[in-house]
Amino acid sequence: MSLQVVSLPGSEPCGDSIARRLGASRCRLESRRFPDGEIYLRVVDDVGGQHVAVVAQLRDPDPQLPGLLFLADALRELGAASVGLVAPYLPYMRQDIRFRPGEAVASRSFAKLVSTAFAWLVTVDPHLHRIASLDEIYRIPTAAVSSAPAIAAWVQAQVERPHLVGPDEESMQWVSEVAALAGCPYTVLRKHRSGDRSVELVLPDLRALRGRTPVLVDDIISSGQTMAATVGKLRAEGLAAPVCVAVHAVFAGDAPVRLQAAGAARTVSCNTLPHPSNAIDVTDVLAESVRVVTGGMVQVR
Ligand code: R5P
């Protein structure tokens, strides 16, 4: 039995790259929106008896979710032996508890939907904070690929005398791993968020950063507020213009403008979500993880 890769609209370059690396065939998908905005999907190629990996780059998950679930259903109804999901960026991971009474815990509900529709999940650095492992909320086999080796290689090749900086305690897990792999020092700040677009940072002793290039590393740039506030603080301390590195370039609204205005030297990201800042390729590690997760079940052509 072989593996086929089908990409959600907009995720084709990522899906094609993963299929190429796996030596898997691509299954074509026709899609359009009806006049009222509802989605139409048609699986063009035969998936009967095949294992299928759906590749979906979920920057804007709400409009994409119905299509994702309908596609999984259609593939199964058309006779696919199994249907898995490659979501390089896993959305809805930050609302992982009920912060205020009455709130929906989106990470758990999203996990429930995905676990019902798919047989397995492969992703890159999900935002694991209060949840220690995806297995706590997903009922299917999951693999969380680390982008740290790819980021460390980029930092080593592109930045002179780097000193990594994590904007908050949550970033410690990524920053410390990248620093160890790149063989450079790191410092982690403390952040207080008082609203979606409002953060305050507490600086530790920054003397170790003098004469070095600060490299800010975070998992997500969303509003850009966290990175922009960090860049602003470091610049105000007289440090060199920082390089900003994000695993997931969500870049909501005017985030790129905000970061540039704050004084970032450069902003780069992994290609988990398509964005002009993509400079670090993680499709090879994603493909390798698909191979492992489907190993035994799928004989890749
Ligand atoms: C939060 O804990 C994450 O690690 C990121 O720091 C956060 O999501 C970035 O969001 P924003 O760009 O909106 O400040």
Side-chain angles (χ1 to χ4, degrees):
M1 220 176 278
S2 60
L3 177 70
Q4 291 208 24
V5 173
V6 58
S7 305
L8 221 57
S11 300
E12 293 87 352
C14 180
D16 290 355
S17 170
I18 291 172
R20 231 180 0 258
R21 289 169 190 281
L22 282 168
S25 50
R26 276 161 263 184
C27 167
R28 288 166 298 161
L29 183 69
E30 253 179 51
S31 83
R32 65 184 176 84
R33 295 269 172 193
F34 289 107
D36 58 5
E38 290 185 357
I39 191 152
Y40 166 90
L41 294 172
R42 176 174 165 257
V43 177
V44 178
D45 297 306
D46 180 18
V47 292
Q50 310 278 303
H51 293 292
V52 180
V54 174
V55 175
Q57 291 179 293
L58 301 171
R59 165 176 287 114
D60 207 0
D62 292 13
Q64 295 198 76
L65 192 56
L68 184 65
L69 300 176
F70 301 165
L71 177 59
D73 267 352
L75 290 165
R76 264 192 311 273
E77 287 164 16
L78 293 167
S82 73
V83 183
L85 174 62
V86 183
Y89 165 65
L90 193 58
Y92 278 120
M93 285 299 290
R94 286 170 290 174
Q95 183 78 29
D96 55 3
I97 56 164
R98 192 162 284 124
F99 296 96
R100 296 170 57 219
E103 285 180 345
V105 183
S107 58
R108 226 164 34 217
S109 301
F110 188 79
K112 207 187 291 174
L113 281 174
V114 169
S115 300
T116 311
F118 293 93
W120 50 264
L121 166 71
V122 169
T123 189
V124 180
D125 289 324
H127 187 84
L128 295 172
H129 180 40
R130 285 156 289 256
I131 293 169
S133 148
L134 288 178
D135 296 341
E136 286 178 28
I137 52 174
Y138 281 81
R139 296 193 301 256
I140 51 176
T142 59
V145 170
S146 170
S147 62
I151 294 178
W154 186 89
V155 169
Q156 274 181 324
Q158 301 290 330
V159 185
E160 270 183 43
R161 292 181 55 75
H163 186 118
L164 302 197
V165 177
D168 53 25
E169 292 92 336
E170 291 163 55
S171 65
M172 171 76 96
Q173 53 189 304
W174 300 287
V175 177
S176 57
E177 197 184 346
V178 174
L181 291 166
C184 60
Y186 73 92
T187 300
V188 173
L189 316 188
R190 276 194 296 124
K191 177 173 88 179
H192 172 68
R193 184 182 283 281
S194 48
D196 287 349
R197 291 172 191 276
S198 161
V199 298
E200 269 172 53
L201 292 158
V202 180
L203 300 185
D205 186 345
L206 294 175
R207 272 174 294 187
L209 274 91
R210 303 237 167 259
R212 292 195 165 255
T213 310
V215 180
L216 314 191
V217 179
D218 205 359
D219 60 333
I220 302 169
I221 295 178
S222 181
S223 69
Q225 205 66 54
T226 300
M227 282 290 198
T230 312
V231 170
K233 285 276 188 195
L234 299 187
R235 294 297 278 152
E237 293 291 310
L239 298 171
V243 173
C244 298
V245 181
V247 180
H248 307 294
V250 173
F251 279 101
D254 60 355
V257 181
R258 180 171 293 132
L259 265 179
Q260 211 177 351
R266 187 177 175 191
T267 301
V268 299
S269 62
C270 299
N271 55 354
T272 58
L273 293 169
H275 190 264
S277 64
N278 288 169
I280 303 169
D281 186 17
V282 290
T283 52
D284 52 348
V285 275
L286 270 170
E288 185 48 34
S289 185
V290 172
R291 194 192 300 280
V292 171
V293 168
T294 57
M297 176 171 96
V298 175
Q299 197 193 337
V300 178
R301 273 207 300 243

